[in-house]
Amino acid sequence: MPADTLFHGPNAGYVIELYERYRANPESVDPATRTFFAHWSPEEIATVAVATPPPAALPMIDLQTAPDIDLSKAHIGPTSPIDVTHTVAAARLIRYIRELGHLAARIDPLGSDPPGDPGLDAAIHDVTDADLALLPAYIVRGPLAAESRNALDGVQKLREVYCGTIGYETDHVQVFEERAWIRDAVESRRFFYGFDDVRKRELLERLTEVETFERYLHQTFVGQKRFSIEGCDMLIPMIDSIIRNAAVGGVREVVIGMAHRGRLNVLAHILGKPYSAILSEFLTAGRDAALSPAGRGAAGWVGDVKYHLGARRAFREAGIEQMPITLAPNPSHLEFVNPVVAGRARAVQEQCDQAGAPVQDKRASLPILIHGDAAFPGQGIVAETLNLANLAGYSTGGTIHIIVNNQIGFTTSPREGRSTLYASDLAKGFEIPIVHVNADDVEGCIAVARMAYAYRERFGKDFLIDLVGYRRWGHNEGDEPAFTQPTMYTIIARHPTVREQWASKLIAEGVISAEESNQMMTTVWDRLQQARSEAEAHPHFEEPPPSPPPGIARRTHTAVAAERLVALNEALLRWTPGFRAHPRLERMLERRRTALHMPGAIEWAHAEILAFASLLEEGIPIRLTGQDVERGTFSQRHLVLHDAQTDERWCPLQALPQARASFAVYNSPLSEAAALGFEFGYSAHNPQALVIWEAQFGDFANGAQVIIDQFIVSARKKWGQTPALVMLLPHGYEGQGPEHSSARLERFLQLAAEDNIRVANCTTAAQYFHLLRRQALLLNADPRPLIVMTPKSLLRHPRAASSLHDLSEGRFQRVIDDPQARERPADVARLVLCSGKIYVDLLSASDTPLTNGVAVVRLEELYSFPVDELRDVLAGYPNLQEVIWLQEEPENMGAWRYVAPRLRELIGPDLTLSYVGRPASASPSEGSLALHLIEQQRLIAEALRAPAVEQYH
C-alpha cells in the first residue's frame, strides 16, 4: 500500500515520533510496529507530504474550540495541508511530557522548584499554543484524548497528570505491555476512586492517630529517641491501603521491613502493638531491669531498643478471617533487613511437604520494604537485594518499595549523599517503575499505593514509591537540625502538617466541622494517657524464648540403618530414561555405587548427599544455596546433572522415590550479604526446613559480616528468634594465598556465647554426615545456627573418607581420641590437640612419624566447648605432662585464643599448655606455595618432636 494512503497529518507525525523511539530502542514499541519499521523509513512520508492532499476523511479543526488563542501565530493553517514538521514536533512535545513530566512535578511539600527540562517547553520544539489548538485531540492518544477538545486541551491535561504533585518514571521499563498499563492507569486516573466523605473522614482519623501519637511521645518523653515519622505521615495510610488490597487479592501474609524511622508508628498502627506496651518501653529504664546478667538463663536475653523491634499480628478486615502481618526486626544497619524480608516472603510462598522441588505460590505473600532516602542509594545491600527479584531461587512475585524521603540523611544533604537526581534512581537499572509523590497530597498518596499493589498483582514485579516529605525534627529527637540545615528548618517550622492541611480541606468542603477535628485529636490523646496509666501500673517486658533441654544435642541419634543407606544410594543413581551426563562425571558417580561396600570409600560429598536423602525420607525439607553449589566449588557435589547432548537438568534428590519433603538447590548470584540475609530470613520464617548457605571460599563470608553479626549470632538474644541456618565455609591452608585459606574461624568463636550458635571443624565424611543430621533433627528441640569449617583438599582425601558402618552406627563425636594412643595410654606424655585439616596433614607427614609418647586428639566441635568429653580424654592419660594446641592459622587467628583459657582451666596448673602454629600475622597466610609448605612442615615437626615454642600460663 502506498505510504500516502497510510499516514497523513497528525497520524504521520505520530508515526515519525514512534519511528524515532524505534530507532533509539526497538523494544520500546510493540512487535507489530517493529516488524513494520524494519521495512519502512520516514522518507516515504516526506516525499508525499506536500504533493498529496489529506484524505477526505481527515476532520477539519473547529476554530471555536480555541477562542482565546491567536491563530495568526500558528504554523498550521486550519484548511491548508498539514505541516508535517510541526505536527511531528507537537507529537514529540507530547512524548516528552509523558516521559519527562516528572522533572516539572511539584513533589516537594516544602515548595522547592522542580529541576524541569527544556524538552517540556513547547517553544523548544517550535510549537505554539495556536498550533496545538489547530491539531485534533487524537494526536495526544490515550484516555485523555477522548476528554479533550483539541491537542492543546489534551496537552494541558497531560501536564496536569504528569507535572502535578505526582511524578511518573517508566521509560526505563523495557516491556511495552507494562508501560502501556501504567500510562493508561495514570491518564485515566484509575486509582483515584472512592474518595467520598466517609473515606475522607477515615483518612483524617488515621492521620490524627499518626500525628497525635508522635506529638504525645514528643511532649511526654522529651529528648528520648523515637525517630518520628512526622513529615511523611502518609506512610501509614498508604500501608493500610496496600494491606487491604492484598487481603482482598488473596495474599496470605504480608512481610514488612524497615529501618527505625517511623517504626514505632508502624508498630502501633499497622502491627497493632498496644500503646501501653510501647509507652512501657519509654517508661522503664531498660528491658528486664530487674534481672541481673547472671539470672538471664543459659539462652541469654537482653532485648533491643524499641525502634529496632519487630512484631506480628493477624489482619482481620474486609471479610478476611486472618492474614498475618510480620514486621521483621532490624538493627541500625538500615537496609540490611531487605534480603531478610525477601527470604521470609519466599518461605511463606513455598509448600515443602512433598517430594521434588518446593511448590511456589507467589501470591501467598507480599513483601513491603520501607527505605530511607539516604540509605537506598548509599548502601550496596539495596542493589544486591534488587538483583534477587527475578532469580528463580529468590523471586517473590514482586516487592513494593517505599522510600520515606526526608530529603536529608542525618545531617547530610542529597547533593553530598548521592550522585543521582533522585534517591530512587538505582531502581531504574532493574526496570522498576518509579512514582514520586508529594507527601502532603493525601489522595495522590493513596492512589499511588493502590497502583503499586495492582501493578505487582498484574505483573508479579517490584514497584517503587518515592514518598517525598521532610523530617520535622532532627535525626533523633535530641538533635538540633537547624545547626546544619537552617533554611530548610525555618520552612519546616512554618509548614502545616499533612493532617492540618487535610482537616482544613474537609472543613472547607463541609465534611467535618472544626470542633469535630479537634475532638478527634482529644480522643486519641486521652487513649494515650490511659495507656500510660496502664503501662505504669503493669510494665511490659518481652519474654525470652524457652531454653532447650540440656544435653539434647549429645543425645540425638543420627545413625541411619545400612539397608536404608544402600537403598537411598541406589535410588540416587537411577536417572530418567535416556539421560546421559558427561562421561567423566558418569564414571565418577558410578563409583558411588560400590563405595558403600568398600572400606573407607565414602567421600565427603557422597556422605553429604546420603545425609540429605535420609532427611528427605524422614520428611525434613532442605534448601541449599550459594555460589556454584549445584556443582560445588571444587567439583565435588554434582547435585544437579546436565545432559551432555541436550543440557536437560536432572536433580536426583528431587526425583528420590523415598522422599517425603522438598529439596531445593540454587546457585546464588555473586553476592554474600544479600544471599546470606535471604537464607537467614527463610530459616527464621520456616523453622521446619534445613536451610544451608555455602560460601565459595570461607573468607567470602566477610562480605556478609553485618548479616552474621547483627542477625545470625544475635537474633535470639535481641529478638527472641531461633533460626537454625547452616553456613558451610571452605577452610584450610593449602598454599592458595591469604584470600582462599581461612574462613576466619576466630571471628565466629569470638561471637559465640550463651549457646547462641554451634561451630564445628570436622575431619571425616562420617562426622559431617552425622553433623548435618543432628542439625536437622534438632530443628524443633534446639534450633541454633551451625557454622561449619568445611574442607577443600579433604573432600577426596583417603584419610577423610568413611565406611558404611561409620554412617550406620554411632553419632556425631565432639571430640575424637587417638585410637592408637588409647592402646598405650601410660606411654603418652604429650597430647596434641587440633581441629580440622591439620590433623590429616599431621598423620600424612611421612618424615615425622608419631612416637609412642604422643597422642593426637581432634576437637570436632569448638562451640559449644566440649568440656566433659575433653575431661574424659585427659583423664585417660595418667602420665600426661604437656598439652599442645596445634593449628594452621596465625596465633592471633584460628581457635587458639578461644581454647587457651578454657584448656588452662580444664588441665589445671600442673600441666604445660603450649601453642604450635604460625606466628601472629596481619594476613592469614603466605602468598607463596613454597613458603606455605615450609611453614606447614615446620609446625607439624614442632608439634611432634621439638620443645614447645610458647607456653600459656
Side-chain angles (χ1 to χ4, degrees), residues 17 21 91-107 114-121 124-125 158-159 161-164 166-172 183 187 421-422 425 428 434 436:
E17 185 255 350
R21 297 182 67 174
R92 185 180 297 112
L93 171 65
I94 291 167
R95 175 165 64 89
Y96 274 38
I97 293 172
R98 285 191 170 109
E99 294 178 2
L100 302 178
H102 59 91
L103 295 171
R106 312 291 301 190
I107 58 176
D117 187 277
L120 298 172
D121 183 359
I124 290 292
H125 304 279
L158 280 176
R159 291 189 188 277
V161 168
Y162 288 100
C163 306
I166 305 175
Y168 302 91
E169 288 192 90
T170 61
D171 198 47
H172 55 280
R183 189 178 79 174
E187 296 178 17
L421 174 61
Y422 294 120
D425 280 346
K428 291 180 180 179
I434 300 167
H436 312 274

Side-chain angles (χ1 to χ4, degrees), residues 19 62 94 108 122 390 520 604 864 909 952:
Y19 186 74
D62 181 1
I94 291 167
D108 180 8
N390 297 315
M520 286 181 186
W604 201 274
S864 298
Y952 179 84

Side-chain angles (χ1 to χ4, degrees), residues 9 54 69 419 507 519 549 578 623 682 725 863 899 915 926 937:
I69 302 300
S419 298
I507 292 169
Q519 184 57 46
R623 175 182 167 90
Y682 193 104
L725 176 65
Y863 189 82
V899 301
Y915 164 81
E926 307 82 12
Q937 291 169 1

Side-chain angles (χ1 to χ4, degrees), residues 277-295:
I278 296 174
L279 297 179
S280 179
E281 292 163 348
F282 280 91
L283 290 166
T284 55
R287 188 183 310 279
D288 299 334
L291 296 178
S292 68

Side-chain angles (χ1 to χ4, degrees), residues 402-438:
I402 304 175
I403 295 178
V404 177
N405 194 337
N406 303 305
Q407 305 188 70
I408 188 174
F410 207 150
T411 65
T412 302
S413 66
R415 67 177 180 274
E416 297 169 311
R418 65 175 187 260
S419 298
T420 59
L421 174 61
Y422 294 120
S424 56
D425 280 346
L426 173 66
K428 291 180 180 179
F430 299 92
E431 299 183 36
I432 299 172
I434 300 167
V435 179
H436 312 274
V437 60
N438 187 312

Side-chain angles (χ1 to χ4, degrees), residues 405-597:
N405 194 337
N406 303 305
Q407 305 188 70
I408 188 174
F410 207 150
T411 65
T412 302
S413 66
R415 67 177 180 274
E416 297 169 311
R418 65 175 187 260
S419 298
T420 59
L421 174 61
Y422 294 120
S424 56
D425 280 346
L426 173 66
K428 291 180 180 179
F430 299 92
E431 299 183 36
I432 299 172
I434 300 167
V435 179
H436 312 274
V437 60
N438 187 312
D440 280 354
D441 181 0
V442 174
E443 293 183 12
C445 287
I446 298 300
V448 168
R450 291 167 175 169
M451 173 187 279
Y453 177 76
Y455 176 88
R456 191 260 184 186
E457 184 178 40
R458 172 72 179 271
F459 298 107
K461 294 185 177 180
D462 289 17
F463 192 98
L464 189 146
I465 302 170
D466 180 17
L467 179 64
V468 184
Y470 55 91
R471 188 188 67 199
R472 185 159 289 277
W473 312 107
H475 173 70
N476 63 65
E477 285 64 33
D479 277 346
E480 175 48 73
F483 288 164
T484 51
Q485 279 78 28
T487 304
M488 181 183 197
Y489 276 86
T490 298
I491 297 171
I492 289 173
R494 297 194 300 261
H495 189 75
T497 68
V498 64
R499 190 233 171 243
E500 291 170 343
Q501 295 178 56
W502 188 243
S504 297
K505 181 176 185 297
L506 299 194
I507 292 169
E509 293 176 357
V511 176
I512 63 166
S513 64
E515 292 74 18
E516 286 178 290
S517 174
N518 293 332
Q519 184 57 46
M520 286 181 186
M521 298 189 70
T522 301
T523 299
V524 177
W525 190 276
D526 291 345
R527 283 168 50 200
L528 287 160
Q529 287 281 53
Q530 182 180 355
R532 177 175 180 172
S533 299
E534 293 173 5
E536 290 174 334
H538 306 286
H540 174 79
F541 295 103
E542 295 285 344
E543 292 295 327
S547 300
I552 188 171
R554 278 173 277 179
R555 297 193 302 270
T556 301
H557 180 73
T558 56
V560 178
E563 56 271 20
R564 274 184 61 196
L565 291 172
V566 171
L568 290 169
N569 193 54
E570 288 297 322
L572 292 169
L573 294 172
R574 283 195 296 269
W575 302 341
T576 184
F579 185 90
R580 293 301 303 272
H582 191 284
R584 287 172 54 194
L585 187 56
E586 281 189 352
R587 291 193 294 271
M588 185 193 84
L589 295 176
E590 187 61 28
R591 288 197 295 271
R592 292 182 178 180
R593 192 180 303 276
T594 57
L596 267 63
H597 309 289

